[in-house]
Amino acid sequence: MNHRRALRAAVTIAVTGALAAGMTMTLTSTASAGTTLRASAAEKGRYFGAAVATGKLSTSVYATILNREFNSVVAENEMKWDATEPQQGRFSYTGGDRLVSHAQANGMSVRGHALLWHQQQPGWAQGMSGSALRNAAINHVTQVATHFRGKIHSWDVVNEAFADGGSGGRRDSNLQRTGNDWIEAAFRAARAADPGAKLCYNDYNTDGINAKSTGIYNMVRDFKSRGVPIDCVGFQSHLGTSLASDYQANLQRFADLGVDVQITELDVMTGGNQANIFGAVTRACMNVSRCTGITVWGVRDCDSWRGSDNALLFDCNGNKKAAYTNVLNALNAGPAIPTDPPTDPPTDPPTDPPTTPPPGTGGCSASVSLNSWTGGFVATVKVTAGSAGTSGWNVGVTLASGASVTNTWSATATGSTGAVRFANVDYNGRLGAGQVTEFGFQGTGSGAGITPTCTAS
């Protein structure tokens, strides 16, 4: 989230009407009542955090509230790409290090925000494309996650990569144009760099079950089925004057995939319903055992990117608002995270093909989609297993005269011009009947006329 950008459609919630009954019920407390947000959340095995601008840590009222009420922090801007790598290959961690030091001195965990995002890229990255951008992005993930290794509770590895509207598809961006697997590549790089951190995908306008949240759900489900390392999903929750009636159900369906869910950038437009919405969001999180924490995007109303919306829990003088009381009461009334949470469900739901494929002729098929520009292209190839499944696959393409493969991901390439063959890598060769995987490659010249053929083993 960027406090400098204009207030977006995320503020006006798509679903209006009464709050869901399951989100407004009062639960019996199972522990002593905490008197601060951080104490109450900690009693229930969760965190309650705030977004911080490190320049405000020297403001007495700001720092007093932060240290008293919150046990988690996230940098508003200090860990984004433009701040951490202002010049290619030259990294600056001053702001991020200051926030981590403050957190460690005050018993707080740290959320990392955000490794890759289509906004707030440094100028040098904005001017890149194709394999050069892909390599620079993965290097950025690796270097930043390595620097903060062991100090970050959860990383927003990728932020806001899905489009608004009814398509449920990816947002067009320079990162997306490097190939549809760029998100997967970022998560794999982050896991290698910091194995102990939770790896999250984060987005806005996902507060109910809608096309955008379902597109993300399908991506997470695919990642879990193929062993892509994703641990959590962040729901920004920049809210207006109402709340989606299926807010809690949406959190729950992601949790049922075997990932944690987190409210990552909560703020609510001021008005008669503000306190009720803050309380309802908190109850929804408490009612989902895999909802591990809530972060509000700022400390006081005058610190908020939303200006006159007065969208936070404290006024500018540091006084607690009615919304604060509702949140604290919801934290105290909610259940704790179970000490022995249920085992993650199978990566594939029951509707997927059985483990033993039915008898058939076997084989596989392949289809391609192209993103082309003058002088180059990115091809994303979808491989679909036949009725007997695969233990490996091989895809052949014939490139147009003058075209050449310059970069490949999620496959290994043999040859670079003319007839080129692509074989599976270790994690995507074994497919059940009808299951799908993707790989991609980038090339110079024209991608026109590419027709992939697939052979299974």
Side-chain angles (χ1 to χ4, degrees), residues 33-41 43-44 48 69 278-279 282 286 313 320-334:
T35 58
T36 63
L37 301 176
R38 66 180 288 162
S40 183
E43 284 180 354
K44 305 304 173 66
F48 202 96
E69 296 289 344
F278 264 111
T282 306
M286 301 300 285
L313 301 176
K320 300 171 184 176
K321 297 163 59 176
Y324 172 94
T325 302
N326 277 19
V327 169
L328 183 62
N329 289 343
L331 290 172
N332 283 328

Side-chain angles (χ1 to χ4, degrees), residues 258-330:
V259 293
D260 292 341
V261 294
Q262 302 170 351
I263 314 303
T264 55
E265 303 185 17
L266 178 62
D267 45 32
V268 182
M269 184 179 293
T270 190
N273 213 27
Q274 183 186 60
N276 291 333
I277 293 174
F278 264 111
V281 169
T282 306
R283 283 189 292 272
C285 178
M286 301 300 285
N287 289 340
V288 176
S289 62
R290 293 198 73 141
C291 186
T292 57
I294 298 172
T295 299
V296 290
W297 201 258
V299 176
R300 304 166 300 173
D301 285 341
C302 51
D303 305 314
S304 171
W305 67 291
R306 293 178 61 169
S308 61
D309 279 355
N310 295 325
L312 296 173
L313 301 176
F314 298 86
D315 67 22
C316 288
N317 294 319
N319 298 312
K320 300 171 184 176
K321 297 163 59 176
Y324 172 94
T325 302
N326 277 19
V327 169
L328 183 62
N329 289 343

Side-chain angles (χ1 to χ4, degrees), residues 371-378 443-447:
N371 285 324
S372 299
W373 58 90
T374 302
F377 63 92
V378 167
T444 57
S446 173

Side-chain angles (χ1 to χ4, degrees), residues 5 18 100 102 150 166 177 191 201 268-269 286 342 361 438:
R5 65 193 176 200
V100 169
H102 184 91
R177 290 190 292 273
R191 175 66 87 230
Y201 176 81
V268 182
M269 184 179 293
M286 301 300 285
T361 58
E438 288 184 346

Side-chain angles (χ1 to χ4, degrees), residues 217-408:
Y217 175 90
N218 290 336
M219 179 191 73
V220 174
R221 178 186 166 206
D222 170 62
F223 280 11
K224 294 293 288 184
S225 73
R226 295 191 292 109
V228 178
I230 185 169
D231 305 304
C232 40
V233 176
F235 300 80
Q236 292 186 15
S237 300
H238 297 294
L239 304 177
T241 57
S242 61
L243 184 67
S245 60
D246 52 3
Y247 185 90
Q248 180 179 319
N250 191 41
L251 298 180
Q252 187 63 61
R253 69 168 177 160
F254 279 87
D256 290 343
L257 291 176
V259 293
D260 292 341
V261 294
Q262 302 170 351
I263 314 303
T264 55
E265 303 185 17
L266 178 62
D267 45 32
V268 182
M269 184 179 293
T270 190
N273 213 27
Q274 183 186 60
N276 291 333
I277 293 174
F278 264 111
V281 169
T282 306
R283 283 189 292 272
C285 178
M286 301 300 285
N287 289 340
V288 176
S289 62
R290 293 198 73 141
C291 186
T292 57
I294 298 172
T295 299
V296 290
W297 201 258
V299 176
R300 304 166 300 173
D301 285 341
C302 51
D303 305 314
S304 171
W305 67 291
R306 293 178 61 169
S308 61
D309 279 355
N310 295 325
L312 296 173
L313 301 176
F314 298 86
D315 67 22
C316 288
N317 294 319
N319 298 312
K320 300 171 184 176
K321 297 163 59 176
Y324 172 94
T325 302
N326 277 19
V327 169
L328 183 62
N329 289 343
L331 290 172
N332 283 328
I337 291 178
T339 54
D340 294 312
T343 303
D344 286 356
T347 53
D348 296 327
T351 54
D352 279 0
T355 303
T356 303
T361 58
C364 58
S365 60
S367 60
V368 64
S369 60
L370 288 174
N371 285 324
S372 299
W373 58 90
T374 302
F377 63 92
V378 167
T380 301
V381 181
K382 179 184 292 186
V383 177
T384 304
S387 58
T390 70
S391 58
W393 48 261
N394 194 288
V395 172
V397 303
T398 299
L399 301 181
S401 176
S404 177
V405 173
T406 58
N407 189 30
T408 303

Side-chain angles (χ1 to χ4, degrees), residues 71-306:
N71 62 348
S72 172
V73 290
V74 60
E76 287 190 12
N77 292 291
E78 289 86 344
M79 291 188 182
K80 291 172 181 170
W81 197 349
D82 60 349
T84 52
E85 195 181 2
Q87 296 177 312
Q88 187 173 11
R90 297 180 64 180
F91 292 84
S92 175
Y93 300 113
T94 303
D97 286 345
R98 183 181 179 192
L99 183 64
V100 169
S101 295
H102 184 91
Q104 292 175 337
N106 290 277
M108 302 169 172
S109 62
V110 181
R111 294 195 80 256
H113 177 83
L115 291 172
L116 291 181
W117 185 28
H118 67 281
Q119 292 193 32
Q120 286 187 248
Q121 296 178 6
W124 62 264
Q126 295 174 31
M128 298 178 74
S129 62
S131 59
L133 177 61
R134 169 66 71 97
N135 293 337
I138 296 305
N139 181 64
H140 178 78
V141 170
T142 299
Q143 296 299 324
V144 176
T146 298
H147 174 81
F148 291 107
R149 181 171 181 161
K151 301 175 182 178
I152 302 297
H153 174 277
S154 306
W155 267 114
D156 289 333
V157 178
V158 171
N159 193 49
E160 300 177 6
F162 277 74
D164 291 316
S167 71
R170 299 281 186 87
R171 176 191 301 276
D172 180 50
S173 70
N174 61 345
L175 291 167
Q176 179 63 27
R177 290 190 292 273
T178 70
N180 200 54
D181 75 327
W182 73 274
I183 299 178
E184 174 179 340
F187 273 82
R188 293 189 183 279
R191 175 66 87 230
D194 189 359
K198 296 278 190 179
L199 305 183
C200 307
Y201 176 81
N202 190 56
D203 218 322
Y204 69 98
N205 270 353
T206 57
D207 308 302
I209 298 174
N210 56 36
K212 184 174 185 179
S213 63
T214 297
I216 296 166
Y217 175 90
N218 290 336
M219 179 191 73
V220 174
R221 178 186 166 206
D222 170 62
F223 280 11
K224 294 293 288 184
S225 73
R226 295 191 292 109
V228 178
I230 185 169
D231 305 304
C232 40
V233 176
F235 300 80
Q236 292 186 15
S237 300
H238 297 294
L239 304 177
T241 57
S242 61
L243 184 67
S245 60
D246 52 3
Y247 185 90
Q248 180 179 319
N250 191 41
L251 298 180
Q252 187 63 61
R253 69 168 177 160
F254 279 87
D256 290 343
L257 291 176
V259 293
D260 292 341
V261 294
Q262 302 170 351
I263 314 303
T264 55
E265 303 185 17
L266 178 62
D267 45 32
V268 182
M269 184 179 293
T270 190
N273 213 27
Q274 183 186 60
N276 291 333
I277 293 174
F278 264 111
V281 169
T282 306
R283 283 189 292 272
C285 178
M286 301 300 285
N287 289 340
V288 176
S289 62
R290 293 198 73 141
C291 186
T292 57
I294 298 172
T295 299
V296 290
W297 201 258
V299 176
R300 304 166 300 173
D301 285 341
C302 51
D303 305 314
S304 171
W305 67 291
R306 293 178 61 169

